[in-house]
């Protein structure tokens, strides 16, 4: 028996995760996103109570103290004396949260649609894809705007009704939950409707992948063993889709964040006093002028938002290169 | 061809009908109706509703509006700006938006294809990497950040271009470039990847083997194929440019349809809102038709009447 020579390659081909780890830009992006997310959750908890409230420190520049020296404004303040650093972090909570939830909604809808379409095949598939094409040529943001403005009032009433109903039956947690959601009702319906329009790409990608996987031997085998279609979809196709879905999810998050901030910038999104990056930028853009520029109100939210979106897109591209090198852009 | 156009015309009309009806229904079903914010007493409110034919059940309001719209071609008057008709307002604002939109559309499609072409020709070179990085940045950063940034740099700091106002070509440069940037980037990425795909095909190798240089081979045998995904994207892109112009219009203080639309939503101005949606829908349907026709010229396999 001949000796196996040393220079023969013995390892397995690198898995997607290993490829991803060698992609320095994607790893840096991942670290950045995680840092922003953790900071958005933790920083507002540890900031002193004094800077969280409206104060008389109107339009203080960055790195300044209030007159009595009790409040330190790292990134300056806005018209109402709100600390920009605090607002930026709570805004990050809202923006990132909206992105994540909206992307998850799109995952549920798009994933199901794509799997059913791809698995059913034939005429059903054709019709479902045709419908997707039609939806794709509609400017979804227009629909979201009209939809949100039409149903916002009813949604608020429904939440309030749930709260009262919880009060009547003495269900504390229902009452508390609905009461806590009430100031965010507009953002809640916004997230839902953004998720409802953002699932098209997800559906298309999932369908494409299902078309490939469903022809594989192990699917035929499980069908031969008498497993039903839904069981096959759930147990065998879904796990095999996980990486591609993760990639698509990572790319959907910045898209949803961008759409939400777009609406908030136009004044159709989140309501005061809650803030998101878009509404902060709107406030900043409203006070900008030639003589006395309040540059920090525009610069910091703009930079943080651009970097976060860029990082998420980098991460998404890195994931795609790692797990789906064939698909390209 | 004629049959195809007739069928498309019919389906376009159907789309417009559905879009108008749905928008109208959604906008009148806002809680409290269109006159909620005016704090009128019951009688005055009813009188107003009678005047604008917004009384009675919702389907009846819709039917009367549809009758007015499709039989008489009347978009009714704006509820907010009392003495002006919707057609008049839109007619005044639409030229601005169309000018801005078409400039941005041209910049995005031509610039994007050119950038993608250069990047694909110089694959993996510094030019390619920088172009693609720039494209990713342009896609990620929203227009309402690039808008003020560009205005601050070229308008305030360097003073090369005028800020605000609309009319001369200098005033058109900044807004249309801002509006075009993300789409330019997307088109560039699409073009590059599709060109790279096409260049690796067998018939391109043959073309080069018979002595054509890279550029000629691409121009004669590759370009038509490579441009197909880009053409497909141009239809939806027209729609996205339209919505993208909302922000650009508000950043650069241009009075266009975007502002009308946003105001109409905020004021629950149902006739004005439906009117602007009809305009948008008509534009989108028109663009998609153009894309479909262009497609058949580029790809002979696609049958137009199929």
């Amino acid at each position: 028996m001949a000796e196996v020579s040393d220079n023969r390659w013995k390892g397995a081909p690198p898995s997607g995760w290993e490829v991803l780890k060698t992609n320095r830009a994607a790893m840096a992006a991942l670290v950045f996103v995680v840092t922003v997310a953790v900071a958005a959750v933790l920083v507002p908890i540890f900031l002193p109570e004094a800077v969280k409230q409206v104060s008389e420190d109107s339009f203080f520049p960055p790195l300044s103290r209030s007159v009595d020296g009790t409040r330190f404004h790292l990134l300056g303040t806005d018209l109402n004396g709100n600390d920009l650093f605090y607002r930026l972090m709570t805004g990050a909570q809202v923006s990132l949260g909206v992105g994540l939830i909206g992307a998850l909604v799109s995952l549920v809808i798009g994933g199901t649609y794509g799997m059913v379409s791809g698995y059913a095949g034939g005429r059903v598939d054709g019709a479902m894809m045709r419908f997707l094409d039609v939806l794709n040529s509609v400017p979804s943001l227009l629909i979201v705007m009209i939809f949100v403005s039409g149903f916002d009032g009813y949604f608020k009433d429904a939440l309030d009704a749930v709260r009262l109903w919880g009060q009547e039956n003495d269900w504390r947690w229902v009452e508390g939950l609905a009461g806590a959601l009430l100031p965010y009702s507009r953002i809640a319906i916004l997230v839902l409707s953004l998720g409802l329009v953002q699932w098209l790409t997800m559906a298309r990608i999932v369908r494409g992948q299902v078309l490939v996987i469903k022809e594989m031997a192990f699917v035929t085998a499980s069908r031969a063993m008498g497993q039903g279609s839904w069981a096959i979809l759930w147990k065998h196709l879904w796990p095999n889709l996980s990486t591609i879905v993760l990639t698509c999810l990572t790319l959907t998050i910045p898209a949803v964040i961008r759409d939400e901030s777009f609406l908030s910038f136009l004044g159709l999104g989140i309501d005061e006093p809650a803030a998101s990056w878009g509404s902060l930028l709107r406030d900043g853009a409203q006070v900008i002028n030639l003589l006395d520029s309040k540059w920090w109100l525009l610069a910091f939210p703009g930079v943080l938002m651009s970097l976060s979106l860029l990082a998420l897109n980098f991460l998404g591209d890195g994931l795609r290169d790692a797990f789906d090198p064939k698909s390209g852009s | 061809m004629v049959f195809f156009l007739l069928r498309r015309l019919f389906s376009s009309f159907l789309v417009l009908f559905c879009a108008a009806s749905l928008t109208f229904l959604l906008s009148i079903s806002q809680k409290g109706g269109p006159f909620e914010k005016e704090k009128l007493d019951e009688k005055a409110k009813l009188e107003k509703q009678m005047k604008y034919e917004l009384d009675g059940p919702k389907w009846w309001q819709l039917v009367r509006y549809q009758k007015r719209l499709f039989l008489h071609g009347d978009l009714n008057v704006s509820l907010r700006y009392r003495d002006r008709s919707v057609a008049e307002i839109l007619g005044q604002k639409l030229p601005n938006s169309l000018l801005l939109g078409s400039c941005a559309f041209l910049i995005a499609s031509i610039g994007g294809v050119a950038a993608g072409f250069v990047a694909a020709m110089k694959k993996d070179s510094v030019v390619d990497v920088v172009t693609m990085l720039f494209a990713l940045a342009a896609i990620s950063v929203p227009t309402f950040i690039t808008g003020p940034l560009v205005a601050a740099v070229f308008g305030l700091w360097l003073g090369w271009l005028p800020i605000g106002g609309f009319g001369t070509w200098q005033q058109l440069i900044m807004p249309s470039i801002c509006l075009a940037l993300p789409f330019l980037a997307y088109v560039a990425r699409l073009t590059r990847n599709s060109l790279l795909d096409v260049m690796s095909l067998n018939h391109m190798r043959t073309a080069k083997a018979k002595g054509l240089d890279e550029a000629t081979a691409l121009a004669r045998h590759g370009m038509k194929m490579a441009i197909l995904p880009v053409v497909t994207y141009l239809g939806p892109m027209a729609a996205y440019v339209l919505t993208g112009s909302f922000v650009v219009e508000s950043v650069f203080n241009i009075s266009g349809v975007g502002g009308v639309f946003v105001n109409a939503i905020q004021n629950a101005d149902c006739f004005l809102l439906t009117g602007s949606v009809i305009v948008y829908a008509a534009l989108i349907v028109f663009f998609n038709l153009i894309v479909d026709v262009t497609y058949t010229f580029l790809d002979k396999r696609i049958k137009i009447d199929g």
Side-chain angles (χ1 to χ4, degrees), chain A residues 75 100 151 168 187 204 260-261 286 290 296 305:
Chain A
L75 301 180
L100 193 64
F151 287 103
E168 245 168 53
I187 206 83
R204 192 159 291 155
E260 184 274 329
S261 59
Q286 272 171 351
L290 273 171
W296 61 91
M305 182 172 175

Side-chain angles (χ1 to χ4, degrees), chain A:
Chain A
M1 200 85 184
E3 287 285 310
V4 176
S5 70
D6 272 346
N7 55 12
R8 195 176 129 184
W9 186 58
K10 300 185 200 75
S15 75
W17 295 112
E18 281 158 359
V19 174
L20 184 68
K21 271 185 204 154
T22 59
N23 185 341
R24 260 179 291 168
M27 285 322 275
L30 179 64
V31 171
F32 181 80
V33 171
V34 170
T35 315
V36 171
V38 170
V41 175
L42 291 185
V43 167
I45 299 176
F46 291 113
L47 274 180
E49 274 309 311
V51 299
K52 293 188 192 176
Q53 278 136 23
V54 177
S55 64
E56 63 266 30
D57 312 346
S58 188
F59 291 133
F60 272 37
L63 296 174
S64 61
R65 275 183 187 283
S66 59
V67 183
D68 55 1
T70 49
R71 295 180 293 270
F72 177 65
H73 300 300
L74 184 64
L75 301 180
T77 61
D78 66 2
L79 171 69
N80 299 325
N82 288 309
D83 186 71
L84 184 61
F85 186 52
Y86 173 65
R87 296 263 285 172
L88 206 54
M89 286 301 140
T90 46
Q93 277 179 14
V94 171
S95 284
L96 291 176
V98 164
L100 193 64
I101 298 173
L104 286 176
V105 171
S106 84
L107 166 69
V108 172
I109 303 172
T112 318
Y113 193 92
M115 284 208 297
V116 169
S117 174
Y119 193 75
R123 202 164 282 184
V124 178
D125 183 33
M128 283 172 97
M129 281 301 118
R130 183 78 199 110
F131 180 61
L132 217 58
D133 285 340
V134 172
L135 285 186
N136 205 22
S137 61
V138 175
S140 48
L141 277 180
L142 287 187
I143 301 172
V144 170
M145 288 179 193
I146 300 170
F147 188 80
V148 168
S149 76
F151 287 103
D152 185 35
Y154 295 108
F155 192 66
K156 232 171 219 143
D157 282 3
L159 264 181
D160 213 36
V162 169
R163 192 178 62 88
L164 289 176
W165 179 69
Q167 212 168 21
E168 245 168 53
N169 295 335
D170 218 22
W171 286 353
R172 278 294 155 72
W173 65 272
V174 174
E175 187 193 338
L177 186 71
L181 272 177
L182 214 48
Y184 293 97
S185 71
R186 198 179 170 89
I187 206 83
I189 192 165
L190 199 67
V191 172
L192 279 180
S193 37
L194 282 177
L196 282 173
V197 297
Q198 275 287 359
W199 53 273
L200 306 179
T201 327
M202 179 76 86
R204 192 159 291 155
I205 288 176
V206 167
R207 169 193 172 257
Q209 200 64 14
V210 167
L211 282 182
V212 176
I213 299 177
K214 78 167 181 182
E215 300 300 331
M216 290 187 174
F218 72 94
V219 177
T220 318
S222 60
R223 201 177 298 138
M225 282 159 70
Q227 229 162 12
S229 299
W230 285 108
I232 292 178
L233 278 178
W234 183 243
K235 279 192 192 154
H236 299 298
L237 294 186
W238 188 240
N240 279 298
L241 292 170
S242 57
T243 54
I244 232 158
V245 162
L246 184 70
T247 309
C248 195
L249 201 63
T250 319
L251 289 170
T252 310
I253 292 173
V256 176
I257 293 180
R258 212 183 40 211
D259 285 354
E260 184 274 329
S261 59
F262 183 98
L263 295 179
S264 292
F265 185 84
L266 289 173
L268 300 171
I270 192 162
D271 288 331
E272 290 283 326
S276 77
W277 287 335
S279 70
L280 289 176
L281 281 163
R282 170 189 170 81
D283 295 348
Q286 272 171 351
V287 297
I288 202 160
N289 62 45
L290 273 171
L291 301 171
D292 177 25
S293 113
K294 316 273 192 303
W295 56 270
W296 61 91
L297 288 178
L298 211 51
F300 292 120
V303 168
L304 184 64
M305 182 172 175
S306 312
L307 283 180
S308 307
L309 292 184
L310 201 57
L312 280 165
N313 275 324
F314 255 117
L315 187 61
D317 276 7
L319 279 169
R320 187 167 49 200
D321 291 344
F323 290 111
D324 187 23
K326 271 174 291 180
S327 84
S329 168

